[in-house]
Amino acid sequence: MSDPSDDMPKAYEPDKSEARWYEFWEESGFFEASEEPDDARATYTLAIPPPNVTGSLHMGHACRTTFEDVLCRHKRMQGYNTLWMPGIDHAGIATQVVVERQLKREGLTRHDLGRKAFVERVWRWKEESGGRILQQLRKMGASCDWSRTKFTLDPDMVRAVRESFVRLYEEGLIYRDTRLVNWDVESQTVLSDLEVDQEEGVEGELFDFAYRLADGDSEVVVSTTRPETMLGDTAVAIHPDDDRYRHLHGKYVRHPFVDRMIPIILDAELVDPEFGTGVVKVTPAHDPNDFATGKRHGLEEINVLNLDGTLNENAGRFQGLDRFAARDAVKDELANLGLVRGSKKHIMTLPRSHRSGTVVEPLISTQWFVKMRPLAEPAIAAVRDGRIQILPVEWEKTYFHWLENIQDWCISRQLWWGHEIPAWYCDACEDVTVSREEATACQSCGATALRQDPDVLDTWFSSALWPFSTLGWPDDTAALRRFYPTQDMETGYDIIFFWVARMIMMGLHFMGEVPFNRVLLAGLVTDERGEKMSKVKGNVIDPLDVIHGATNEALIDKATKAGASKGGIKYLQKTYPDGFAAYGADALRMTLLSYSPQSRRIALSIKRIEGYRNFANKLWNASRYALMRLAGSGAKASQQCPRPQALANRWVLSRLYQALDTASTGLDAYRLDDASGALYHFVWDEFCDWYLEVSKTALDSGDANLVRETEATLVHTLETTLRALHPMMPHITEEIWQRVPKWDAAPKSIMVARFPSALVDAKADRDAVRDFEALQALVRSMRTIRAEHDIPRSRAIEVHWHTEQAEIRQVFQDERATIQALAGCVMHFEPDPSKFDDPGSHFDNAAVFVNPGVRGVVPSVIDPGKERARLERALKKLDKELGAVEKKLGNPNFADKAPAEVVEKSKRDAAELRSKRDQLEVALSRL
RNA sequence: AGGCACGUAGCUCAGUGGUAGAGCACUACCUUGACACGGUAGGGGUCGGCGGUUCGAAACCGCCCGUGCCUACCA
């Protein structure tokens, strides 16, 4: 008998097999979707959330990749023409910042290079490192159709962006306007509202100062958190009904620093008379509410800020100061003039740039906007009427709330890296020409002296087109017809507005059809304490370290280079003193899958990864055993479910049925935790713990029929389980599956084999389950008695048992050899049940057990003290259960109102528990 | 300020009306011819609090306490 374990080491080594099989799949073309005209298979399409070109693999990517790969591999195995569309995002600001940082190290700025050279430099960097993230996704096992990989700045993507821009412009949905925008003084670009994070609970100062009236000595006191903005004040507002200030109506105050008379205006909308002094300084150019007030009253808008955050010529003597220095300077000057009227602590929220982190300044600027309302309405409808399903459904409310209150989207950015805006300005007539092609003449006056708009588009503008631009839009391509709409959109909930909602709007607008049918939103990966992973905290877990292993020294070294704090390093030392073993991609995948998709955070624990590494090893060794026993037997997997006679074989097929059924339901409903859990427990708790143990007795029985059907069941169950697990653990299942003896003309790879179905590949058998459970209960009882009485394994125990149930009696007699092997006992059927009523007289020092329908004793081995303790513990537990059931049955309304089957079951349970209890009490009293 | 979650074993989390679950950790025993990355048997929870609905609540409703997140505003 050849031994396949020769080439199967005792422990599974993921590092040795994962890369090999990945290459095999990729070279075999298994990832590629088909565009053959005569391929009539239904399609399944999922577009990847394109990672940033700057990115390197983090746990968020690992999580996305795992979930998406499971969905795609499952559908592919079910026979769908599956397209997992990959790509990379150019990531405007993020990328520009990275390259600028490189330049800084060389002592240069982008302005030293000039725009053309700078953009060329970014491209060069992209070519060098842009593929890295995709290589890393491969380490996770991602089955993307790499032949179609897109970059959001590819020429065809540029074309799609221009086409959509021009169309929206022509439809009046893109327009140019001058309004108050969010300005990032560090990146020196405008930001959309979504790119501004509100930092809550910041301790600031509410500063009071006085404006003197132009005529006379009296004053009004105003409050501000940004004193420097007073340089741009063009009004002071009071409430029209505020009697305290009635004498100020129509008056003016004099600005202390700049030569300006400032009107006192009446505004009921801006002013809350209860707040502060009831007088508000109005800075239309630097505050959203003041801007609106200014529009109502026709106030002058005086911008006091340069684009870099310093003060401009309108700031008078403060010109040139940085905004924060100017704040102090203004306060000092006001103090010198004796105008300070107080200051107090003030908790406020501070708007910060999502990217640069700097405090955002509102200022007036001319930008391009997308009119969102007309686009939002169809997007709301698509979710309301179920054309798009959002899971978990709680997110629908968030989605509706945002879309119903949506503001226009500022899409221009003052960056160099990104999609150019296809708009040209005429020097002669100042009109704008928007065009698909490079404009050569002004559309109004025909002049040829044109300047292209220097700005680029928000990176999310091209992302919004992703589901169809990647398939060839605006051309009517075969791919677009075949693969649009896509089916699932899987991503993190943090980009539901940035990306998901905008894709829905653009998909509906340009394709007339939803871009996908389901939105699957996953939680964010945190460390095991639930804290956000951050380089400073040192709690970033690199997926590649988990896959390939890393020593504690290596982890610390990496964290130090990434700028971890002392506390972060200490945390690393304490939490992972031994570093990580090479757990492998499959273990990491299985771990990520085991978290509920409902949860908002995935608190990743290395211990949990270790648990699934152990599971991989369990599967490996179970297979090693099975293959060893099958070698030379001639048995092979056949894709036909065997029809065995023996109890254990029927039982395992029935449990397989249950596991496959749960797995399929979970996969379809996007409960990947349920799906992976069902297979995990089937493999470990049932296949390994029971079936393999029983199979040893069967295969050694010498009974040719039993041996043959056990081999057939064993190989079938193993092979089917591998196929079911493949979407979740692709590498190890392939590694084992390749070794399993199989039917002729089996596929070259498990990844193109058929996904198993409960109905086809298994067989539910209630009788087998019932009978085997009785067997399990008996074996467990024997084991408990053994453990409680410290009976060594080497010593067989005698069991005297009785049952009134003919089937169980038959089972125990048929399975005598199995039970004796599993429990280490010798079985004796006791025909006279009355003997059990008086155990002491018939069986010396007997331990008693009572199972459903079965009772018995193990005599002559028992320490009465331990037996008493055991029985008392069992009784205590029983009493608790019985108490609950009796309380329920004792309720007079229960029988009337509860469903009959529930009442029946409770009665049966109570009877069973009572009888069990009685027998244990008798046993206890006889000790 | 509003909205949305969450609070279950030491830790991380499942569990949508019928006798409280998993992984890890813990205790005892076992190097048994697949596996010590293992096996067997155990211990551990008044399901945040208080009320309500119900024959029956961890689950449904209300209030409170605590924790996160989101949106808006903040002179």
Side-chain angles (χ1 to χ4, degrees):
Chain A
M1 181 165 107
S2 79
D3 185 350
S5 67
D6 287 350
D7 77 330
M8 289 181 82
K10 270 176 86 163
Y12 173 59
E13 295 163 8
D15 249 2
K16 288 198 178 152
S17 70
E18 291 185 345
R20 190 171 83 244
W21 289 116
Y22 195 87
E23 276 166 35
F24 166 64
W25 298 326
E26 193 169 1
E27 278 163 17
S28 305
F30 294 147
F31 299 156
E32 288 163 28
S34 160
E35 278 186 51
E36 293 297 318
D38 54 353
D39 187 332
R41 291 177 299 163
T43 60
Y44 176 81
T45 314
L46 185 151
I48 204 169
N52 287 359
V53 64
T54 53
S56 73
L57 189 74
H58 57 60
M59 269 306 163
H61 296 125
C63 189
R64 301 279 67 69
T65 303
T66 299
F67 289 15
E68 290 162 24
D69 196 46
V70 170
L71 295 169
C72 288
R73 284 181 186 267
H74 174 230
K75 287 294 183 182
R76 196 181 287 115
M77 287 178 80
Q78 282 191 318
Y80 287 82
N81 182 7
T82 299
L83 170 57
W84 184 8
M85 179 71 221
I88 318 180
D89 195 272
H90 67 280
I93 299 187
T95 307
Q96 178 160 324
V97 164
V98 168
V99 177
E100 283 189 277
R101 210 174 290 146
Q102 290 174 3
L103 286 176
K104 198 175 172 188
R105 280 198 289 271
E106 299 164 24
L108 296 170
T109 69
R110 66 185 157 115
H111 301 284
D112 295 328
L113 268 68
R115 181 162 185 161
K116 189 155 175 280
F118 178 77
V119 170
E120 273 167 16
R121 166 118 186 189
V122 182
W123 272 106
R124 211 170 342 123
W125 176 80
K126 184 261 169 189
E127 295 310 328
E128 283 164 18
S129 64
R132 185 181 52 179
I133 180 81
L134 298 186
Q135 287 305 328
Q136 291 174 326
L137 294 185
R138 285 172 165 88
K139 301 278 184 211
M140 291 297 303
S143 63
C144 301
D145 184 348
W146 301 110
S147 67
R148 296 174 191 260
T149 304
K150 290 289 181 199
F151 178 54
T152 53
L153 276 177
D154 283 345
D156 46 348
M157 299 294 104
V158 170
R159 203 169 135 245
V161 164
R162 282 200 170 195
E163 178 67 28
S164 58
F165 186 97
V166 174
R167 277 202 213 173
L168 289 169
Y169 178 77
E170 287 169 348
E171 291 160 348
L173 292 172
I174 280 184
Y175 63 95
R176 209 157 166 260
D177 193 17
T178 302
R179 61 171 68 165
L180 204 67
V181 295
N182 309 297
W183 188 261
D184 179 333
V185 299
E186 195 166 313
S187 309
Q188 298 203 27
T189 179
V190 65
L191 301 173
S192 71
D193 296 342
L194 282 179
E195 288 166 300
V196 179
D197 294 334
Q198 306 292 338
E199 185 187 351
E200 287 181 54
V202 180
E203 201 170 282
E205 179 190 34
L206 193 59
F207 180 81
D208 299 340
F209 69 92
Y211 271 122
R212 290 216 174 93
L213 258 71
D215 54 350
D217 295 340
S218 64
E219 62 179 40
V220 288
V221 178
V222 294
S223 305
T224 180
T225 54
R226 294 183 295 158
E228 73 282 9
T229 61
M230 62 85 70
L231 297 165
D233 282 0
T234 55
V236 169
I238 53 177
H239 196 277
D241 302 333
D242 192 335
D243 289 335
R244 292 174 296 174
Y245 300 120
R246 205 161 283 283
H247 62 286
L248 298 177
H249 291 197
K251 299 279 177 62
Y252 284 80
V253 298
R254 184 181 297 282
H255 198 286
F257 303 134
V258 290
D259 184 21
R260 189 154 73 230
M261 298 289 270
I262 297 176
I264 292 172
I265 60 169
L266 307 179
D267 195 284
E269 209 170 314
L270 179 71
V271 183
D272 171 6
E274 305 294 316
F275 189 97
T277 57
V279 186
V280 184
K281 64 188 274 302
V282 184
T283 322
H286 296 290
D287 181 276
N289 288 318
D290 295 1
F291 180 75
T293 308
K295 289 290 180 206
R296 285 196 293 275
H297 295 270
L299 299 176
E300 193 184 354
E301 292 155 355
I302 299 179
N303 177 15
V304 299
L305 280 177
N306 290 312
L307 297 183
D308 63 357
T310 58
L311 272 68
N312 67 15
E313 65 283 0
N314 291 329
R317 74 187 90 155
F318 301 99
Q319 179 176 1
L321 290 177
D322 176 76
R323 51 187 170 154
F324 297 121
R327 177 168 304 173
D328 292 335
V330 166
K331 282 160 65 177
D332 288 346
E333 288 290 306
L334 285 169
N336 291 342
L337 294 174
L339 293 172
V340 176
R341 292 293 176 271
S343 127
K344 56 173 179 279
K345 277 186 185 169
H346 181 65
I347 302 299
M348 54 185 201
T349 25
L350 213 51
R352 285 187 181 278
S353 164
H354 189 64
R355 277 291 157 203
S356 72
T358 194
V359 175
V360 165
E361 295 294 335
L363 55 80
I364 293 171
S365 174
T366 304
Q367 303 290 341
W368 290 93
F369 294 88
V370 179
K371 198 179 280 181
M372 296 306 273
R373 240 172 223 296
L375 294 167
E377 274 161 25
I380 293 169
V383 175
R384 283 226 193 278
D385 65 24
R387 277 174 293 153
I388 296 176
Q389 188 189 5
I390 298 180
L391 289 175
V393 287
E394 293 89 296
W395 287 107
E396 283 189 1
K397 281 181 207 159
T398 310
Y399 173 86
F400 289 136
H401 180 261
W402 188 70
L403 284 176
E404 281 160 4
N405 298 288
I406 197 161
Q407 303 292 313
D408 284 357
W409 174 18
C410 178
I411 51 170
S412 41
R413 295 289 180 277
Q414 288 64 51
L415 304 171
W416 288 354
W417 176 245
H419 285 273
E420 293 178 359
I421 294 179
W424 287 263
Y425 304 105
C426 175
D427 287 333
C429 72
E430 296 194 348
D431 196 15
V432 59
T433 301
V434 170
S435 159
R436 287 171 179 81
E437 308 301 330
E438 180 88 24
T440 50
C442 174
Q443 60 173 17
S444 305
C445 70
T448 53
L450 299 176
R451 286 173 294 110
Q452 183 169 8
D453 192 307
D455 291 350
V456 300
L457 291 168
D458 182 358
T459 195
W460 294 104
F461 188 89
S462 55
S463 310
L465 315 176
W466 190 245
F468 48 96
S469 63
T470 51
L471 293 171
W473 188 88
D475 292 334
D476 181 21
T477 62
L480 190 61
R481 279 200 301 274
R482 182 172 294 219
F483 296 111
Y484 191 94
T486 71
Q487 275 66 54
D488 288 336
M489 168 49 60
E490 194 279 340
T491 192
Y493 69 78
D494 54 328
I495 53 176
I496 183 169
F497 305 138
F498 276 113
W499 195 40
V500 176
R502 288 166 177 167
M503 276 190 290
I504 294 174
M505 290 188 269
M506 293 302 178
L508 286 165
H509 189 72
F510 288 111
M511 296 296 297
E513 222 180 329
V514 294
F516 29 73
N517 307 120
R518 289 198 308 182
V519 176
L520 310 170
L521 296 170
L524 304 183
V525 183
T526 67
D527 77 5
E528 55 206 82
R529 301 167 300 185
E531 288 183 28
K532 205 171 166 181
M533 290 189 184
S534 101
K535 286 177 181 169
V536 174
K537 285 191 217 159
N539 62 349
V540 175
I541 299 175
D542 183 337
L544 296 177
D545 288 342
V546 168
I547 293 172
H548 300 301
T551 62
N552 181 259
E553 292 72 38
L555 293 177
I556 288 171
D557 187 50
K558 187 187 285 191
T560 307
K561 282 181 184 147
S565 65
K566 269 187 185 166
I569 299 294
K570 217 167 166 187
Y571 169 79
L572 265 182
Q573 273 165 340
K574 210 177 75 193
T575 316
Y576 310 118
D578 303 320
F580 305 153
Y583 299 120
D586 288 342
L588 176 57
R589 291 168 63 113
M590 209 53 185
T591 308
L592 291 165
L593 290 167
S594 71
Y595 290 88
S596 167
Q598 317 274 26
S599 166
R600 283 206 180 191
R601 46 164 228 209
I602 293 177
L604 188 70
S605 136
I606 291 291
K607 280 290 182 194
R608 199 147 162 173
I609 299 174
E610 199 172 302
Y612 284 101
R613 186 274 311 263
N614 295 351
F615 173 67
N617 193 55
K618 189 77 181 173
L619 178 66
W620 177 256
N621 275 291
S623 305
R624 206 161 73 96
Y625 161 79
L627 294 173
M628 207 159 60
R629 301 299 302 234
L630 289 165
S633 72
K636 11 181 208 184
S638 70
Q639 284 203 301
Q640 310 272 306
C641 186
R643 291 284 179 263
Q645 304 292 311
L647 175 63
N649 289 331
R650 284 158 52 219
W651 171 80
V652 80
L653 292 176
S654 190
R655 299 309 302 157
L656 177 63
Y657 176 94
Q658 188 57 249
L660 292 177
D661 189 56
T662 308
S664 291
T665 307
L667 283 162
D668 290 339
Y670 193 57
R671 285 305 302 254
L672 305 184
D673 55 335
D674 290 344
S676 57
L679 295 172
Y680 174 97
H681 287 293
F682 173 71
V683 168
W684 202 314
D685 303 344
E686 308 197 286
F687 185 66
C688 290
D689 286 355
W690 288 95
Y691 184 69
L692 290 187
E693 294 307 319
V694 173
S695 80
K696 290 172 185 172
T697 313
L699 292 171
D700 292 338
S701 67
D703 175 340
N705 285 333
L706 178 60
V707 169
R708 200 174 313 117
E709 71 159 64
T710 300
E711 286 166 348
T713 306
L714 179 60
V715 72
H716 173 81
T717 307
L718 174 64
E719 194 273 337
T720 304
T721 306
L722 290 171
R723 277 186 286 135
L725 271 170
H726 178 262
M728 299 151 192
M729 309 183 85
H731 309 92
I732 188 175
T733 50
E734 182 78 286
E735 180 76 53
I736 299 167
W737 193 79
Q738 291 291 344
R739 292 174 160 88
V740 175
K742 290 181 290 284
W743 64 97
D744 298 336
K748 271 173 66 186
S749 165
I750 191 173
M751 78 163 280
V752 290
R754 182 177 54 79
F755 192 78
S757 123
L759 287 171
V760 174
D761 297 291
K763 175 93 170 62
D765 187 331
R766 297 178 89 122
D767 290 349
V769 169
R770 182 199 60 208
D771 292 349
F772 198 81
E773 280 174 359
L775 182 155
Q776 287 176 305
L778 180 68
V779 170
R780 288 199 180 105
S781 294
M782 295 305 101
R783 285 171 174 170
T784 304
I785 288 171
R786 261 186 182 289
E788 298 290 327
H789 290 282
D790 297 328
I791 300 168
R793 214 192 142 67
S794 53
R795 181 171 156 203
I797 52 177
E798 308 283 320
V799 186
H800 300 260
W801 60 280
H802 178 85
T803 179
E804 300 292 335
Q805 294 175 26
E807 313 88 41
I808 294 181
R809 183 172 166 188
Q810 190 63 47
V811 166
F812 285 2
Q813 284 169 345
D814 290 349
E815 302 296 330
R816 191 188 165 91
T818 298
I819 295 167
Q820 295 189 155
L822 292 178
C825 64
V826 180
M827 308 263 292
H828 306 284
F829 177 67
E830 173 53 62
D832 176 7
S834 69
K835 287 198 175 180
F836 294 105
D837 295 333
D838 190 6
S841 64
H842 289 275
F843 303 109
D844 295 336
N845 295 331
V848 175
F849 67 93
V850 185
N851 288 340
V854 182
R855 49 205 296 211
V857 296
V858 176
S860 307
V861 290
I862 304 308
D863 173 333
K866 284 180 180 170
E867 180 67 359
R868 177 176 297 280
R870 184 177 81 86
L871 290 177
E872 278 171 352
R873 219 171 35 237
L875 268 175
K876 202 176 136 195
K877 211 166 170 179
L878 260 181
D879 277 341
K880 209 173 142 191
E881 288 176 32
L882 192 56
V885 179
E886 279 179 337
K887 185 182 162 204
K888 187 196 289 187
L889 286 168
N891 185 327
N893 290 316
F894 178 64
D896 296 342
K897 308 222 173 167
E901 68 214 49
V902 173
V903 178
E904 281 311 305
K905 187 176 176 299
S906 295
K907 282 183 178 163
R908 274 199 312 274
D909 289 348
E912 177 107 28
L913 289 170
R914 256 183 236 120
S915 128
K916 197 169 172 179
R917 190 179 194 290
D918 291 347
Q919 290 173 52
L920 290 182
E921 284 222 301
V922 169
L924 197 54
S925 69
R926 300 284 157 95
L927 269 174

